[in-house]
Amino acid sequence: MQNCQLPYFNTSVLSGLTALQNLTLEDANIQSIIFSSNLSNLQTLILKRNTIKTLDSSISLLKGLKSLDLSKNLLLKSTSDMFMGLDNLESLDLSQCMSLVEIQMKIFNGLYNLLELNISYCKLNQIHSEAFSHTPKLTKLKLSDNKLKLENSSVFGYLTQLKELDLSYNQIQYSSIEQGLFSNLLSLE
């Protein structure tokens, strides 16, 4: 469903679609969405270009979800345990969420299987040093086009499997980079 007017959406209206694997609710003016357990086979959820501010905790019912696209939700803000329960999530796109100015410590709690994370083109100026502590399998991280300075040397400390890191177009200055910032990125290509 694209280009709809669905400000408040409850996935229970899809109750008969138990085999549904991919759902696109793009540019549907969604402000709030409630998830129901009938979508247990859902693997891909695209919610880009909406007006979602926060995710309801019911998203944890989507146990099989592997890919979540929340890009271009201009009002989306990070909250602790935002993605808790999405144990199988492998890809998360938060790009162009202009209200994302900081990544809190527990935002990625439970995302132990996350492989790809895109937080580019936001207004990020701060990442908590423990933000990536629950994403040990992360191999691709896009942080381009933000306002990051990266003054904390432990921000990438948990990302030992990271192969790709994009920090282009930030406010990083060589003089402010602490020694050891990239020392744990042993898999970087």
Side-chain angles (χ1 to χ4, degrees):
M1 289 188 260
Q2 289 181 286
N3 299 315
C4 302
Q5 294 297 312
L6 304 168
Y8 304 99
F9 190 78
N10 190 324
T11 62
S12 64
V13 301
L14 306 172
S15 61
L17 304 174
T18 55
L20 187 66
Q21 292 186 352
N22 302 303
L23 178 59
T24 299
L25 295 168
E26 181 179 337
D27 203 13
N29 195 33
I30 296 173
Q31 297 171 19
S32 176
I33 185 167
I34 304 293
F35 301 94
S36 57
S37 58
N38 63 310
L39 296 177
S40 59
N41 290 315
L42 193 65
Q43 292 184 9
T44 302
L45 178 59
I46 300 173
L47 294 170
K48 69 182 181 181
R49 279 197 294 270
N50 283 292
T51 54
I52 298 170
K53 293 181 183 177
T54 60
L55 286 179
D56 187 82
S57 62
S58 63
I59 196 167
S60 65
L61 296 171
L62 305 179
K63 299 291 184 193
L65 197 63
K66 291 187 177 189
S67 178
L68 177 59
D69 185 346
L70 289 164
S71 63
K72 299 181 181 178
N73 275 280
L74 302 179
L75 304 174
L76 187 70
K77 295 184 178 172
S78 70
T79 57
S80 292
D81 302 324
M82 190 171 178
F83 304 103
M84 186 61 102
L86 298 180
D87 303 337
N88 293 310
L89 197 66
E90 295 176 357
S91 176
L92 177 59
D93 191 344
L94 298 171
S95 63
Q96 297 185 38
C97 292
M98 302 309 261
S99 290
L100 281 179
V101 294
E102 70 174 303
I103 299 298
Q104 298 176 0
M105 178 171 68
K106 296 182 179 182
I107 185 175
F108 302 124
N109 272 5
L111 297 184
Y112 296 106
N113 291 305
L114 193 65
L115 300 173
E116 297 183 7
L117 177 58
N118 186 352
I119 321 174
S120 56
Y121 295 94
C122 297
K123 292 186 179 181
L124 280 182
N125 59 36
Q126 184 177 0
I127 300 175
H128 191 279
S129 62
E130 302 284 318
F132 300 118
S133 63
H134 296 278
T135 59
K137 295 182 180 179
L138 200 63
T139 58
K140 188 174 185 178
L141 178 59
K142 292 183 178 181
L143 293 167
S144 64
D145 295 276
N146 281 294
K147 297 180 178 187
L148 293 171
K149 295 180 182 177
L150 293 182
E151 296 169 343
N152 186 333
S153 65
S154 60
V155 73
F156 301 126
Y158 297 95
L159 301 178
T160 57
Q161 302 300 312
L162 199 65
K163 292 181 180 181
E164 293 180 42
L165 174 63
D166 186 352
L167 292 168
S168 58
Y169 301 102
N170 275 286
Q171 297 177 358
I172 302 168
Q173 296 179 353
Y174 179 76
S175 60
S176 66
I177 296 176
E178 286 188 31
Q179 187 173 354
L181 177 64
F182 305 108
S183 63
N184 287 341
L185 301 179
L186 304 175
S187 299
L188 211 56
E189 296 176 351

